[in-house]
Amino acid sequence: MSVELNFGDSMAVLLVDGIEETPYVGATLRMTETGVEVEVPYMPGFAVPQFEHVDQWFRRMTPPENVLVHTREGNILLFGCRWSGHSDATGSRVGSGRFTASETLLHSRDRSLTDPLTVKLCQSSADGLNRWSRITSVTTESTRDEEKRTNALVIQVKSPEPIEWYQGDATLRVRGTWRFAAREDGYERVHELEDYVVLESEWADPRPFADHLVEQRKVLHLLVFLFGTALSFREHRVRDEGIAAHLMGGEVFDHPFAEVVSARTIRERAQPIPSKKKLGRPMLVLEELGAGGLAAWAASYESWERFILPAVAIIGRRHRFAEDVVMSTSMSLEAAGQLLGERLGEEATYRRNRPTTSTYIYRCLEFLGIRWGDYIYSQIGLAKAIASNYNSVKHADRGPFPDHAETFLIGDVNELVVRLLAVSLTGQADELLGRYREGSELWDIKQRFDAYRVRIVDDRGTWQAIPAEEGAATI
């Protein structure tokens, strides 16, 4: 039987450490925004033999690696337990110790307690998957009477075939799925149908949960670039031969999905869900990318990590300064420029016949070939303006921080550039890049330059204010 655990839940439990003749220990288990925590009251100093092993857990700061937890609703397994604090007491007073788990499996398991958590299949729910994939498991058909009133509704629920590709030895899938529940009271009956999309990873042999998360995180990072906003994992469910449902006689009749609460993603789960507005228009949807685009992204991920990680970290941050955006995205552009290699005309950005920061940024701009319009004089001028702002923010000996308007605009331009570069790694972005090369997708950037009434006016990256139009307010 599976156990449910939500933020704020607290329950009395019994702990089993798997060592023979060790007594069970009463404790309190809580789920907080930092993870699943267990608090254990005990008598310290070996005053009572029953608590001798618990005293050792906290005196040596080494709780058991894995712990079986008995609750009234069923069993829970804690993996990768780590000491998180304790308070001793003397005499007859009670001590208290705390430890947290890296992963918590909300189900029993037919394996030794000392074995780590390894599974073949993991399904994760995450922000944006529904809107990006546009997959649904529900179709409806209504009939109407002579007065055009709906008098019958047929609902068909069926999971469509998943989109599947390979990432190394792992198989990844985007799968539509559903859940149904019926409930009633003395007043009404309610039929709840959940239609959602999961990201699924599978290996031929059981692998640590962290391995599944690493592969799935690559896909979520791509979605962060596509949506341009923070996205979070919301739930993880795993399935393996060791996770079994038993009949009263002990026979196995099913291997169900069981929820895993991971300390690696628990903070994400507590974050606000992005609004529909933020998830309104991804750069590319799943149908445009296809399995080939997702496989290409995964194949490029490792070699492009120095580009991907700083950029996705700042785009996925909910509260940030403009200077943070410039710093992180410029670091990514430096890394990307080195990977892209030399571009025609880059000598204009050299210093003493050697590439500079503006050279690497120019390579990215030239690769994308965006037609900016009259508010940016040239790719060379923009590259130098970005490099100058980046270096002025980074180096204290450059004096005051750059003008805030310039920093805001450089951040906006950089963010767009890194998103387009990331999408280009899928090999499916030709049509998208074509629209930017024609300038038809750049109204947001142009409006911001117009709002601040500034331009980059030469190949040196010089900023210049433009006079306000007669009768218009000055920003």
Side-chain angles (χ1 to χ4, degrees), residues 158-345:
K158 182 180 179 180
S159 296
E161 286 297 312
I163 306 298
E164 180 178 291
W165 70 100
Y166 297 99
Q167 291 184 192
D169 295 330
T171 302
L172 273 287
R173 302 181 188 93
V174 177
R175 183 186 294 277
T177 188
W178 55 275
R179 284 194 290 247
F180 175 78
R183 56 183 173 85
E184 64 176 297
D185 54 23
Y187 169 66
E188 64 180 355
R189 298 188 186 97
V190 177
H191 303 279
E192 296 178 329
L193 177 61
E194 297 181 40
D195 175 24
Y196 60 104
V197 178
V198 295
L199 184 59
E200 184 177 280
S201 55
E202 183 176 15
W203 268 272
D205 299 309
R207 297 288 291 265
F209 173 79
D211 290 359
H212 289 270
L213 190 59
V214 165
E215 296 304 321
Q216 293 183 8
R217 180 74 72 183
K218 294 175 183 178
V219 182
L220 194 64
H221 282 171
L222 176 58
L223 265 63
V224 169
F225 284 116
L226 292 173
F227 283 108
T229 191
L231 303 174
S232 300
F233 282 113
R234 297 293 170 178
E235 184 181 67
H236 308 287
R237 292 186 177 273
V238 298
R239 187 165 69 183
D240 190 73
E241 285 87 346
I243 301 170
H246 298 269
L247 297 173
M248 294 297 290
E251 300 91 345
V252 174
F253 71 91
D254 189 21
H255 294 284
F257 279 97
E259 184 177 357
V260 168
V261 178
S262 173
R264 295 175 172 88
T265 60
I266 191 69
R267 288 179 175 84
E268 298 177 42
R269 186 170 171 173
Q271 294 298 319
I273 296 173
S275 65
K276 289 183 179 179
K277 181 179 179 182
K278 287 188 175 181
L279 299 178
R281 190 170 179 262
M283 284 182 161
L284 293 175
V285 297
L286 176 58
E287 185 178 5
E288 294 170 307
L289 282 172
L294 292 165
W297 167 260
S300 302
Y301 192 95
E302 185 174 347
S303 58
W304 281 77
E305 259 190 346
R306 291 297 297 266
F307 159 75
I308 292 170
L309 296 182
V312 81
I314 194 65
I315 294 172
R317 191 184 302 173
R318 288 174 170 83
H319 305 289
R320 59 192 191 173
F321 293 105
E323 289 79 6
D324 292 334
V325 177
V326 171
M327 289 290 293
S328 294
T329 54
S330 296
M331 286 170 57
S332 289
L333 293 178
E334 279 192 292
Q338 295 182 48
L339 290 166
L340 289 171
E342 294 185 13
R343 295 278 151 180
L344 184 65

Side-chain angles (χ1 to χ4, degrees), residues 13-15 17 21-27 39-60 88-89 91-97:
V13 300
L14 287 174
L15 306 182
D17 63 4
E21 299 180 359
T22 297
Y24 290 5
V25 180
E39 183 173 7
V40 189
Y42 67 100
M43 297 294 290
F46 313 121
V48 180
Q50 175 185 353
F51 296 113
E52 180 176 344
H53 62 296
V54 181
D55 193 21
Q56 293 291 339
W57 292 354
F58 298 108
R59 188 176 300 278
R60 298 177 180 176
D88 280 338
S92 61
R93 296 170 60 193
V94 175
S96 176

